[in-house]
Amino acid sequence: MLKLTMKIDLKKEQEATLARPVRAYGVLARLLFLTMDVFYGKELTLGKVRLLEILARVPYQAWEIRQYHRMNTHFSEKSAVAEAEDIIGWGREAQDNEFWHLQVVNEKIKQEGITLNWFKDTLVPPVATFQYNIFSGLLALLDIQAAFRLNADFEDHAEHEYMAFVKKHPELDEQLAVSDVIKDYGDLKTWGDVFRRIALDERDHMNNSLKRCGRESEVVSYLSRQD
């Protein structure tokens, strides 16, 4: 995993996120969020975050499969192959990043000594993943642009939820983020900064999704980024 090298004022970006209205979510996104709220409640908990990060990798995997099929059937079209390779490369990077999020959340759950619920945290995730795999695969096949738009909504929702979570739990800024998983990613001192950084990763994923569905005007810029 590559370490994070850009300098960002995480707290400034948190304020910007919370001041920015959420996207006008589509029907599919709203149904997805409603389903999660039914099973986990509206309040964001570490258990709910865990499921979010388990599901977050699924669309990228579906797109990768779709693009390999596209390359096999359009191998003589240079532009199609180049676009497919771009989506695959981006998707793999995003999958790795989302998996890091999952590892981090799991580490936090362990450190807190949280006992996972047998139904919500053991039974629901594999069932939800199976269903989301089927749905994501079909959507990628039928309308990849709609898949990108849905992902933008999903990532925007995650960014706002994580930033609000940190605001609601100021004690996270007093808790040192001591973990090899975190150390391998970047210089993040507290758990508050860890969740802020995860939120901004989701913003990056949203922006990339928007660019690929022709909505560059909706991309959200950083206020404090210095590469």
Side-chain angles (χ1 to χ4, degrees):
M1 178 185 294
L2 294 177
K3 278 197 173 186
L4 208 62
T5 57
M6 72 282 289
K7 294 181 180 179
I8 297 173
D9 187 328
L10 296 173
K11 291 184 178 180
K12 186 174 182 179
E13 295 298 340
Q14 178 187 7
E15 293 173 1
T17 297
L18 295 177
R20 188 182 83 242
V22 299
R23 290 176 51 76
Y25 299 142
V27 174
L28 293 176
R30 284 185 274 125
L31 286 174
L32 177 61
F33 303 151
L34 176 61
T35 301
M36 294 194 68
D37 288 346
V38 168
F39 282 97
Y40 287 84
K42 289 188 175 182
E43 182 178 354
L44 190 66
T45 62
L46 290 176
K48 191 175 183 180
V49 171
R50 180 174 174 268
L51 178 62
L52 279 171
E53 296 302 339
I54 289 173
L55 295 179
R57 302 177 70 231
V58 171
Y60 299 105
Q61 294 168 344
W63 303 343
E64 182 176 347
I65 294 171
R66 176 69 181 95
Q67 296 310 310
Y68 274 122
H69 175 73
R70 184 183 178 195
M71 290 170 67
N72 285 338
T73 56
H74 296 80
F75 54 84
S76 62
E77 301 174 24
K78 290 185 178 180
S79 61
V81 171
E83 184 179 30
E85 289 177 337
D86 174 65
I87 293 173
I88 290 170
W90 158 51
R92 287 181 176 176
E93 181 180 347
Q95 287 181 61
D96 289 344
N97 184 247
E98 298 288 13
F99 186 65
W100 176 77
H101 296 171
L102 180 58
Q103 289 180 304
V104 167
V105 172
N106 194 54
E107 179 69 16
K108 182 59 174 171
I109 288 173
K110 287 181 179 179
Q111 290 188 11
E112 293 290 327
I114 296 173
T115 301
L116 297 177
N117 181 279
W118 75 269
F119 177 72
K120 292 192 298 184
D121 301 313
T122 303
L123 181 61
V124 171
V127 174
T129 301
F130 176 74
Q131 294 176 334
Y132 200 40
N133 261 308
I134 295 175
F135 169 76
S136 297
L138 286 174
L139 189 59
L141 179 64
L142 297 173
D143 190 344
I144 192 67
Q145 298 299 310
F148 292 153
R149 291 193 296 273
L150 174 59
N151 197 61
D153 288 350
F154 185 98
E155 303 289 15
D156 177 72
H157 177 73
E159 178 192 348
H160 280 85
E161 286 284 287
Y162 293 156
M163 290 302 195
F165 179 75
V166 175
K167 182 177 181 180
K168 188 171 182 178
H169 296 278
E171 69 274 9
L172 291 170
D173 282 323
E174 305 298 325
Q175 299 172 0
L176 296 180
V178 181
S179 169
D180 288 339
V181 175
I182 297 169
K183 182 177 63 176
D184 288 343
Y185 187 69
D187 186 22
L188 301 168
K189 302 297 184 184
T190 70
W191 276 102
D193 280 347
V194 169
F195 280 100
R196 291 185 185 97
R197 180 59 257 178
I198 290 176
L200 294 181
D201 288 343
E202 310 298 14
R203 183 194 295 179
D204 291 339
H205 298 162
M206 174 191 70
N207 284 340
N208 282 322
S209 298
L210 290 171
K211 290 175 183 177
R212 284 169 173 79
C213 66
R215 299 195 175 197
E216 291 88 347
S217 63
E218 299 174 25
V219 166
V220 177
S221 300
Y222 281 77
L223 299 177
S224 60
R225 185 168 183 160
Q226 297 178 355
D227 295 334

